[in-house]
């Protein structure tokens, strides 16, 4: 029987995580954060996958972590303060396929993504920089047509537009 290898913070070792990424999809949450003007918050990704693209905040759900706790943790990490799942609109389930991964440029990644939208006014200068080197507010029309915005982020456009018409 294989022994699970964890580092001191409860994360899998790189070798164990490499095996997971190589053989299974990962579950993640993406957050379409809009301001009161309807602009989207996007950050320029620092890490693979989607490195260098403008992308919405988000991250992986940990084993044993409820969605409520994952939302709380990820919004704290990505936006600098915790969010609450009950204050978010569910946009749907998405699949993201990448040719690379955070571990290696030649290891593909498959995410099953639960996407949520919520309105928040944020000071861009105060946002954490671990996953995104800079942030901008984008009008939806610019999100739709700018090739620097990752296709997986642009995929949320119809769902956000639908939410506004309900």
């Amino acid at each position: 029987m294989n022994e699970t290898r964890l580092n001191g913070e409860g994360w899998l070792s790189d070798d164990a995580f490499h095996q997971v990424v190589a053989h299974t999809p990962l579950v993640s949450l993406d957050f379409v954060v809009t301001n009161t003007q309807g602009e989207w918050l996007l950050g320029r990704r620092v890490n693979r996958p989607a490195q260098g693209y403008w992308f919405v905040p988000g991250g992986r759900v940990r084993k044993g972590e409820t969605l409520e706790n994952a939302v709380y943790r990820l919004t704290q990490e990505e936006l600098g303060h915790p969010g609450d799942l009950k204050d978010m609109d569910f946009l749907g389930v998405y699949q993201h396929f990448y040719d690379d991964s955070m571990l290696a440029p030649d290891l593909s990644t498959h995410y099953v993504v639960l996407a949520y939208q919520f309105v928040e006014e944020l000071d861009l200068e105060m946002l954490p920089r671990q996953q995104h080197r800079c942030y901008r507010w984008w009008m939806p029309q610019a999100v739709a047509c700018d090739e620097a915005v990752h296709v997986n982020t642009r995929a949320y456009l119809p769902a956000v537009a639908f939410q506004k018409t309900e």
Side-chain angles (χ1 to χ4, degrees):
M1 178 184 221
N2 285 342
E3 182 178 316
T4 302
R5 297 169 300 251
L6 299 174
N7 69 18
E9 298 174 357
W11 289 97
L12 290 172
S13 69
D14 284 351
D15 289 340
F17 189 57
H18 187 281
Q19 290 300 312
V20 171
V21 172
H23 299 287
T24 66
L26 305 171
V27 177
S28 67
L29 305 177
D30 273 357
F31 305 113
V32 179
V33 182
T34 57
N35 60 23
T36 55
Q37 293 78 41
E39 297 169 312
W40 291 29
L41 175 70
L42 300 183
R44 179 79 77 164
R45 288 272 306 151
V46 172
N47 304 313
R48 292 185 306 259
Q51 186 175 38
Y53 283 96
W54 291 94
F55 213 95
V56 296
R60 293 186 309 274
V61 177
R62 296 176 181 170
K63 182 177 176 73
E65 185 175 45
T66 67
L67 290 179
E68 292 81 6
N69 288 345
V71 164
Y72 186 93
R73 175 183 57 82
L74 289 168
T75 52
Q76 178 68 48
E77 291 173 1
E78 297 269 322
L79 303 175
H81 63 85
D84 194 327
L85 183 62
K86 70 177 175 27
D87 298 328
M88 300 179 180
D89 293 320
F90 181 61
L91 300 177
V93 179
Y94 295 80
Q95 297 183 82
H96 294 184
F97 296 93
Y98 300 95
D99 292 333
D100 61 354
S101 73
M102 66 173 286
L103 296 173
D106 60 345
L107 177 64
S108 67
T109 313
H110 173 194
Y111 288 96
V112 175
V113 182
L114 307 177
Y116 293 88
Q117 187 271 328
F118 62 98
V119 177
E120 186 80 37
E121 295 297 327
L122 298 167
D123 179 352
L124 301 185
E125 298 304 314
M126 301 303 293
L127 294 173
R129 299 287 193 257
Q130 291 86 348
Q131 299 296 324
H132 301 95
R133 70 173 156 256
C134 59
Y135 295 88
R136 254 179 61 193
W137 290 107
W138 291 69
M139 290 302 296
Q141 301 86 339
V143 171
C145 65
D146 195 318
E147 294 295 317
V149 176
H150 199 278
V151 64
N152 289 334
T153 290
R154 293 195 313 259
Y156 301 135
L157 282 160
V160 172
F162 177 75
Q163 287 290 338
K164 290 183 185 228
T165 61
E166 286 189 303

